[in-house]
Amino acid sequence: TTRSYISSDHLPCEIMKSCAAILVEQKKPLVIEEVQVPPLKLGQVLVKVLVSGICGSQLGEIEGVKGPDKFLPHLLGHEGCGEVLEVGEGVRHVKPGDRVVLHWRKGAGLESVTPTYESKIGRVNAGWVTTFNEYAVVSENRVTAIPSAVDPEIAALLGCAVTTGFGVVNHDARLAIGESVAVFGAGGVGLSIVQAAALAGAHPIIAIDRFDNRLDLARSLGATHAVNVARTDTAGEVHRLVGPEGLDVAIDNTGNVEVIALASRLTGPRGRTVLVGVPPAGATAAISTLPLHFEKRLTGSHGGGSRPDIDIPRYLRLLDHGRFALRPLIGRRYPLESINEAIAAMRDGTLAGRAIIGIGRED
């Protein structure tokens, strides 16, 4: 990487280059390549990325679950922590030197145009936020300033996993004290949902997954029961735990249409099923719609309806007072050049918790 800087009029004083993991072709490993960082435009922020998480959404992008990708090649990553190096015209909510959480949900400030980077493989597209690159041009409303003392690895989790999981419990499920909940899929978001459900006073909190290491972690974070779908009659076990009336809330993080149908069946007459995971394009779930005409509900979630600029400071206060923990959520740390290894570990279930990618160093 050529260490450089951006001048006050937002023109490069010398070319700044950044190492990045690029999605060049769907269903293929990411390509590690150097890209040229563009000058800042209205509402844009230049961030030195310190740490990035890997969300299941990125795995979905790589696999093409939503269909053909018309923006290839492009950068990836939507949760991370970094330091603001420079700001473009119109930016008011962050300043150079600020530590920030990078997030995909809209926060405070301007929404800029999306940047493009140049590289040896040609033009590389990017969205309003990317985190699989050392230096990122990000829209102002995709960064939220936090105290400089916050550990970057912890802060990165606030970009998606925690804000989505807590938002699902608060805004989508509206989980009440004493209600039962089953969480299908114990990845980063699912584990955050488990913690939020524990904070909300739910009982029982049933974590459901096909990997024991993830279920063990879910138990340590607040799940009262764990069900391995590979060895257990899931429906029978859930009914044994909550009774024949069924669950108050079922939350699916898998995007598997058979799991979605099961989750809906397992909720009671007034139950709520919340869909967080996104099924592949064209996939359909077989669900009885008659109960939806009465008090049963089925709803999709868009990032838990979170407002990062409002939610992140609240969650940091809870962390400061020891009300929940994020360190156990970190499964393993990888350097950027090993990002494909991290992705493989997420896919095959050998990794429990979030994969954390160390990208830049603090000066």
Side-chain angles (χ1 to χ4, degrees):
T1 301
T2 301
R3 298 299 299 272
S4 184
Y5 62 100
I6 299 296
S7 65
S8 58
D9 61 355
H10 314 304
L11 295 175
C13 298
E14 56 182 280
I15 294 174
M16 172 181 271
K17 294 184 178 180
S18 171
C19 189
I22 306 169
L23 179 60
V24 176
E25 186 178 352
Q26 289 177 311
K27 302 182 186 298
K28 298 289 185 180
L30 302 184
V31 174
I32 307 297
E33 185 58 81
E34 200 170 60
V35 298
Q36 183 174 316
V37 178
L40 295 182
K41 296 180 180 179
L42 176 72
Q44 291 181 335
V45 178
L46 177 64
V47 179
K48 176 184 179 180
V49 182
L50 300 173
V51 174
S52 176
I54 303 179
C55 179
S57 296
Q58 278 87 68
L59 273 63
E61 286 184 80
I62 295 167
E63 290 301 311
V65 296
K66 295 182 181 179
D69 190 333
K70 63 181 180 179
F71 296 107
L72 295 175
H74 64 77
L75 301 181
L76 289 170
H78 69 207
E79 70 170 20
C81 176
E83 179 187 337
V84 174
L85 297 183
E86 191 63 65
V87 299
E89 183 182 354
V91 173
R92 298 290 181 268
H93 291 272
V94 295
K95 64 185 183 304
D98 281 350
R99 176 157 294 177
V100 292
V101 174
L102 296 94
H103 43 76
W104 66 275
R105 288 281 298 178
K106 294 180 183 181
L110 298 174
E111 179 157 289
S112 69
V113 298
T114 56
T116 57
Y117 299 72
E118 296 297 333
S119 75
K120 288 192 297 186
I121 62 174
R123 177 168 292 184
V124 177
N125 295 308
W128 290 284
V129 60
T130 58
T131 60
F132 293 176
N133 41 317
E134 290 178 299
Y135 298 96
V137 175
V138 181
S139 180
E140 181 188 16
N141 64 355
R142 263 61 173 200
V143 292
T144 295
I146 59 172
S148 59
V150 178
D151 186 324
E153 292 185 351
I154 296 299
L157 299 174
L158 295 167
C160 176
V162 176
T163 45
T164 297
F166 279 45
V168 166
V169 168
N170 280 327
H171 304 141
D172 299 320
R174 298 184 182 272
L175 192 63
I177 295 171
E179 286 193 312
S180 59
V181 58
V183 182
F184 292 81
V189 172
L191 293 168
S192 296
I193 290 171
V194 165
Q195 290 209 76
L199 282 170
H203 189 86
I205 302 169
I206 308 167
I208 302 173
D209 203 291
R210 58 196 179 97
F211 298 109
D212 284 333
N213 57 347
R214 295 179 177 179
L215 292 171
D216 291 341
L217 183 53
R219 278 187 177 275
S220 73
L221 293 173
T224 60
H225 300 81
V227 176
N228 188 314
V229 296
R231 298 194 304 269
T232 308
D233 172 13
T234 303
E237 183 64 10
V238 168
H239 281 129
R240 186 186 72 80
L241 293 171
V242 302
E245 281 290 292
L247 293 159
D248 294 308
V249 175
I251 302 172
D252 175 67
N253 302 293
T254 70
N256 182 307
V257 293
E258 293 183 2
V259 174
I260 290 170
L262 174 62
S264 179
R265 289 198 303 272
L266 288 177
T267 56
R270 297 180 181 83
R272 290 97 70 196
T273 302
V274 180
L275 309 182
V276 182
V278 179
T284 57
I287 294 171
S288 173
T289 62
L290 179 62
L292 302 179
H293 293 276
F294 300 95
E295 295 186 63
K296 194 165 185 172
R297 286 188 286 165
L298 175 71
T299 184
S301 175
H302 189 257
S306 68
R307 277 288 308 273
D309 54 311
I310 295 172
D311 296 339
I312 289 172
R314 291 194 295 117
Y315 300 155
L316 284 174
R317 287 196 296 271
L318 283 178
L319 274 171
D320 285 344
H321 288 86
R323 297 298 305 278
F324 71 105
L326 288 185
R327 184 67 58 189
L329 204 59
I330 298 172
R332 186 177 169 188
R333 299 159 182 83
Y334 299 81
L336 181 60
E337 57 266 26
S338 299
I339 193 168
N340 288 309
E341 179 186 337
I343 290 168
M346 291 177 66
R347 284 198 183 112
D348 66 21
T350 57
L351 179 68
R354 208 58 148 185
I356 291 292
I357 307 300
I359 296 181
R361 295 181 182 178
E362 296 181 69
D363 293 330

